[in-house]
Amino acid sequence: MTVSTPDLSRFRRAGAIAAATLAAVALGVVPGARAEAAAGTLPLGDSDLTEVRTDRALADGVTLTRIVRGTEPAPADQLNTTTRGPWVVNVLTIDPSQARGHLQATYGPNLSQVEKTTELVRASGALAGVNASFFTFTASQLYPGDPVGLGLFGGKLLSEPTTDPAEVNFVVDANSNRALTGKLTWSGSVRNRQTDATLPLEFINHPPVVPAGCAALADQTQCSLPGDVVDFTPEFASATPSGAGVEVVLDRLGCVVRTSTTRGTMLAAGQTSLQATGRDTVALLDVTGQGCVSSTSTLADQNGEELPVRPGLFGVTGRYPLTADGQVVVPDGSGSFFDRNPRTIAGTTRDGKIVLATIDGRQTTSVGTTMDETAAVAQALGMDDAINLDGGGSTAMSVEGALVNRPSGSTERAVGDALVYVDGPYRSGN
């Protein structure tokens, strides 16, 4: 389903076999929960595989379902090819018609750093949550948590969607628990109120790149090559990125507080800054040289209609849609990304339920899923519209402060942000 309107409004068999149940417990079924065996419920592997489900009510309208398909550990050299599994899937279902709480996204103390999903769930006072967006990770030692794509938190756009056609977004209104999937776009600019001089913004809260041909220039205003123009907010980090270039600090009214010919400063509450590199430094100094500036920042859906950013709106970044209007839409692809991996999925059912799921992978106890298999799982779980969130070693689901899945690495990975369910009404500033 595409993003269609600014207000989000369009948008067991009983009697488990004893041996299968014991095998499922060995693979991690939640003790004490109701277990059922079924064949062919998830379209994974051979049709004769035993499938055991355990359901657990976490709160009004919130259910955790654990699905174990297959009973024998996989040979270590057949994880990508076996048709016998096993697969371990954890599913968090939120029914807005019954739930007292709300779903939101959180990034922790600041946007640029990483924390484990369990830590983000605990710090939010949340009941449960999963990892969410793709993030910079090892590409940046200083800012590993920087989102690679949309980061929308409580009505604040802290990271813009990329132009990468693979990016797809999951947006939720915490006031109503209405959620949707779709590809968002963004545009931004600053305009001098006195002179009308205007400068397009290229990024929000991403370190600008100094043009390679001007890397040796301490004074970037002498550079003839295009650089970057970036808007920074206090949520990014304790200080803005340092380096060659120009930085202009603005107060909450858009008036210049100070200008520097190098980058890197601390921002007070209510302040923002504009950084530029390359020849864009001259344009930035021109736009901010007299009076105050007005900023524009516009999100639009894939139909080009504006999506108003208001309190309670959250959005995270995935790669590739899985289902749309009940149909599998995942594109063809090859390579490691499309092979079997741990996966995290976010989506909605036809009747408005929100579903978050993790699929463990790269292990003999759960082999993971290809992109095609992931889409088939999303469809089988009733997700009419679903996207693939960050997966691999990032895949994690935390319930009541503890992991309920088994990450593929030796320990839980720290991530950029998470989708978390808080069992109470949304209040701005949560």
Side-chain angles (χ1 to χ4, degrees):
M1 181 176 72
T2 60
V3 178
S4 57
T5 63
D7 68 358
L8 309 186
S9 61
R10 289 184 211 164
F11 301 138
R12 293 166 177 147
R13 270 158 63 181
I17 300 171
T21 303
L22 289 173
V25 170
L27 289 168
V29 170
V30 180
R34 178 170 57 84
E36 298 178 347
T41 304
L42 288 184
L44 294 173
D46 296 333
S47 61
D48 65 334
L49 291 176
T50 298
E51 185 171 297
V52 176
R53 295 189 173 211
T54 57
D55 293 334
R56 176 181 161 201
L58 301 179
D60 289 347
V62 184
T63 304
L64 174 64
T65 301
R66 188 173 181 87
I67 308 170
V68 179
R69 182 167 175 79
T71 60
E72 297 295 330
D77 61 348
Q78 296 179 26
L79 301 186
N80 285 316
T81 58
T82 181
T83 59
R84 303 303 295 171
W87 288 273
V88 177
V89 182
N90 287 283
V91 186
L92 188 68
T93 304
I94 302 164
D95 184 350
S97 69
Q98 299 180 34
R100 298 186 306 255
H102 66 277
L103 187 69
Q104 66 179 64
T106 180
Y107 54 82
N110 66 55
L111 189 69
S112 67
Q113 298 306 306
V114 291
E115 293 82 26
K116 296 177 180 178
T117 299
T118 50
E119 295 169 350
L120 291 170
V121 169
R122 291 170 189 156
S124 301
L127 178 64
V130 298
N131 69 292
S133 298
F134 287 79
F135 57 104
T136 302
F137 192 34
T138 55
S140 173
Q141 292 185 341
L142 291 177
Y143 310 113
D146 192 13
V148 183
L150 177 72
L152 180 58
F153 301 95
K156 293 183 179 180
L157 184 63
L158 301 184
S159 178
E160 80 292 340
T162 70
T163 57
D164 186 341
E167 178 174 340
V168 63
N169 308 118
F170 182 81
V171 179
V172 61
D173 186 340
N175 295 296
S176 63
N177 282 327
R178 289 181 179 269
L180 53 83
T181 63
K183 168 74 173 168
L184 301 186
T185 58
W186 172 81
S187 63
S189 65
V190 290
R191 178 185 62 84
N192 187 287
R193 297 175 199 162
Q194 181 175 338
T195 66
D196 274 339
T198 302
L199 181 64
L201 293 171
E202 292 172 79
F203 306 112
I204 302 174
N205 288 325
H206 305 301
V209 175
V210 175
C214 299
L217 290 177
D219 182 359
Q220 287 289 292
T221 62
Q222 301 303 307
C223 180
S224 61
L225 300 174
D228 294 333
V229 182
V230 186
D231 182 22
F232 282 94
T233 70
E235 290 88 354
F236 176 72
S238 58
T240 59
S242 61
V246 164
E247 183 161 18
V248 180
V249 176
L250 307 173
D251 64 18
R252 65 179 68 251
L253 298 177
C255 299
V256 176
V257 175
R258 60 183 179 275
T259 299
S260 175
T261 53
T262 59
R263 294 183 294 109
T265 189
M266 295 183 67
L267 298 176
Q271 292 182 341
T272 60
S273 82
L274 298 168
Q275 289 192 355
T277 57
R279 70 184 182 206
D280 292 301
T281 55
V282 176
L284 177 59
L285 292 173
D286 178 57
V287 167
T288 58
Q290 300 180 53
C292 304
V293 299
S294 296
S295 298
T296 64
S297 179
T298 303
L299 277 177
D301 66 25
Q302 53 207 39
N303 298 319
E305 297 181 17
E306 183 177 352
L307 180 70
V309 175
R310 61 180 182 273
L313 204 61
F314 294 85
V316 296
T317 295
R319 289 287 181 271
Y320 299 110
L322 299 171
T323 61
D325 292 327
Q327 301 301 309
V328 169
V329 295
V330 67
D332 293 331
S334 60
S336 60
F337 188 91
F338 286 83
D339 291 341
R340 280 183 176 165
N341 289 290
R343 303 287 181 181
T344 304
I345 309 170
T348 55
T349 65
R350 187 172 296 275
D351 58 356
K353 295 184 182 70
I354 297 172
V355 181
L356 306 174
T358 60
I359 305 170
D360 288 347
R362 301 178 189 161
Q363 303 166 71
T364 60
T365 53
S366 184
V367 298
T369 51
T370 66
M371 284 292 286
D372 287 337
E373 290 171 333
T374 307
V377 169
Q379 186 182 51
L381 292 174
M383 290 187 241
D384 264 24
D385 303 286
I387 70 168
N388 177 66
L389 294 175
D390 189 18
S394 297
T395 288
M397 179 182 288
S398 174
V399 173
E400 296 173 337
L403 274 178
V404 296
N405 77 308
R406 184 179 296 175
S408 64
S410 57
T411 59
E412 182 186 358
R413 174 183 290 172
V415 297
D417 60 20
L419 285 166
V420 301
Y421 177 80
V422 180
D423 196 22
Y426 175 73
R427 294 180 178 85
S428 183
N430 277 14

